[in-house]
Amino acid sequence: MKFKRSSFLSKIVVLILLVFVAITLLNVRGEIQTAQGELEQYQAAVDQQREVNAALEENIANSADPDTVLEVAKDKMGLVESGEVIFYDTTN
């Protein structure tokens, strides 16, 4: 059985197809790397939000605790107990 030699044109077509496939693979690789970077950013944001949620859940669980109520009143609302004096540092 004799093998027919492929023509020059068919070699060029195969070469063009190989170049096209290589370029496409490189583009897909770049898109995958970009997607992985975005995934890491979103995962970090999810982890941060979970920490915030855990802190809020703890605050809700301790909302009836008198010490927690006093701390919130002093720190976040600026309230003071009767007879308590607040000194502000104005040297800065």
Side-chain angles (χ1 to χ4, degrees), residues 1-69:
M1 180 189 269
K2 291 184 178 181
F3 291 103
K4 190 176 186 181
R5 296 196 84 184
S6 58
S7 69
F8 181 71
L9 181 62
S10 63
K11 289 179 183 178
I12 290 180
V13 169
V14 169
L15 180 65
I16 291 172
L17 287 175
L18 287 175
V19 169
F20 174 74
V21 168
I23 291 172
T24 303
L25 287 175
L26 290 175
N27 287 338
V28 169
R29 181 179 177 207
E31 290 175 7
I32 288 172
Q33 289 175 344
T34 302
Q36 285 176 341
E38 290 176 359
L39 176 65
E40 291 172 0
Q41 289 176 348
Y42 293 141
Q43 189 63 45
V46 166
D47 292 340
Q48 182 181 11
Q49 189 61 44
R50 284 188 177 149
E51 291 176 6
V52 169
N53 289 349
L56 290 173
E57 286 177 3
E58 182 179 337
N59 288 343
I60 290 170
N62 295 328
S63 64
D65 183 28
D67 293 332
T68 304
V69 172

